[in-house]
Amino acid sequence: MLRTTSSTMAKFARRGANMPIIPSLQNTIDTFISAATPSSSSSSPRDSTPLRQMTVLSKESASEFKKSNYTTRMAATRRPVSPHVTIYSFPICAMSSITTRVTGMCLSIGALGLGFVEIVGGNGAALDLMSAIGSSGGVVAAGAKFSVAFPFLYHYLGGMRHLVWDNSPEMLTNVDVEKASYVLIGTSVLLSGVAVIV
C-alpha cells in the first residue's frame, strides 16, 4: 500500500508540475515520496532484520500436534489459562434456567425408566413398582415422592413462567427475572413438600 500511495503521489506531482502548488505542500509531498521510495545506498536497521519464516506443519507433525495433550501444551507456553466456569458465581436466573433443563431431563429419564419396567416386567409392572415404593413408608417413600414431585412441579411452573414472559415481555427486567426465579424455586420446594406429606 505504501508503494501504491507513493506512486500515486508521484503521478500527482508530475501532473501538477505546471500548476501552482503551495510550497509547504510540495515539500511534504517530496519528503513522503523520498521516504517511501526504497534507496539502494541507505539501509535502515529494519532492512537488516531477518524476517521470520512462516511455520508450515507437515501431515505427520500436525497429527502429532493433535495427539499431544492440551494441558501439556498450555503448560509449555507458560501463559495463564482462562479460568473454568466453576470459579464464577452464577446468578439465580442462570441457576433457575439450568435447573429447568435438568428437571426436564430427569422427567424424561424417569418416564423412560417406567416404560422399560413395564416392557420388561409385563403389564402392570410399573404400577406394582410404584406401589411397593409408596408402601415402604418412611424416608424411602418420602424421598421417592419428592424426587417425582419436585422435577414435575419445577419444570411445569418454569414453563408457565416462560409462557407469561412470552406474553408480557415488559416483565423481562433484571429485577423481575431475579424475583421470578426465587418465587419459582420457593414455590416448587413448598409444593413438593406438601406432596410428600399428602
Side-chain angles (χ1 to χ4, degrees):
M1 170 143 180
L2 187 60
R3 291 186 185 194
T4 305
T5 307
S6 63
S7 64
T8 305
M9 294 295 283
K11 287 178 188 175
F12 171 73
R14 280 194 300 272
R15 274 191 217 144
N18 357 2
M19 297 175 63
I21 196 164
I22 302 170
S24 62
L25 179 60
Q26 182 64 48
N27 290 340
T28 305
I29 292 170
D30 292 340
T31 305
F32 181 78
I33 291 172
S34 64
T37 307
S39 171
S40 58
S41 59
S42 66
S43 64
S44 65
R46 187 178 62 197
D47 296 336
S48 62
T49 305
L51 295 176
R52 191 178 120 207
Q53 297 298 319
M54 185 171 79
T55 304
V56 179
L57 292 176
S58 66
K59 288 184 179 178
E60 294 80 23
S61 61
S63 63
E64 281 299 317
F65 182 77
K66 286 180 182 176
K67 287 179 189 175
S68 62
N69 187 346
Y70 176 79
T71 307
T72 306
R73 282 190 282 127
M74 289 298 104
T77 62
R78 297 185 180 191
R79 291 181 303 206
V81 180
S82 297
H84 196 265
V85 294
T86 55
I87 71 161
Y88 297 109
S89 173
F90 282 102
I92 189 66
C93 47
M95 293 304 296
S96 70
S97 178
I98 292 168
T99 307
T100 301
R101 287 158 176 75
V102 170
T103 53
M105 289 172 37
C106 290
L107 289 171
S108 298
I109 291 169
L112 285 172
L114 281 177
F116 180 76
V117 167
E118 189 71 19
I119 289 170
V120 172
N123 192 16
L127 180 62
D128 293 340
L129 175 66
M130 289 187 290
S131 297
I133 292 173
S135 63
S136 63
V139 177
V140 175
K145 286 182 180 180
F146 189 84
S147 66
V148 171
F150 179 77
F152 178 78
L153 289 167
Y154 191 93
H155 198 75
Y156 178 77
L157 293 174
M160 295 304 292
R161 175 179 69 164
H162 276 276
L163 186 63
V164 170
W165 285 346
D166 289 342
N167 292 315
S168 304
E170 66 274 1
M171 296 179 70
L172 281 172
T173 64
N174 289 342
V175 175
D176 288 340
V177 169
E178 189 172 339
K179 286 179 184 176
S181 298
Y182 282 116
V183 168
L184 173 63
I185 294 169
T187 305
S188 299
V189 170
L190 181 68
L191 291 177
S192 299
V194 170
V196 168
I197 295 170
V198 171

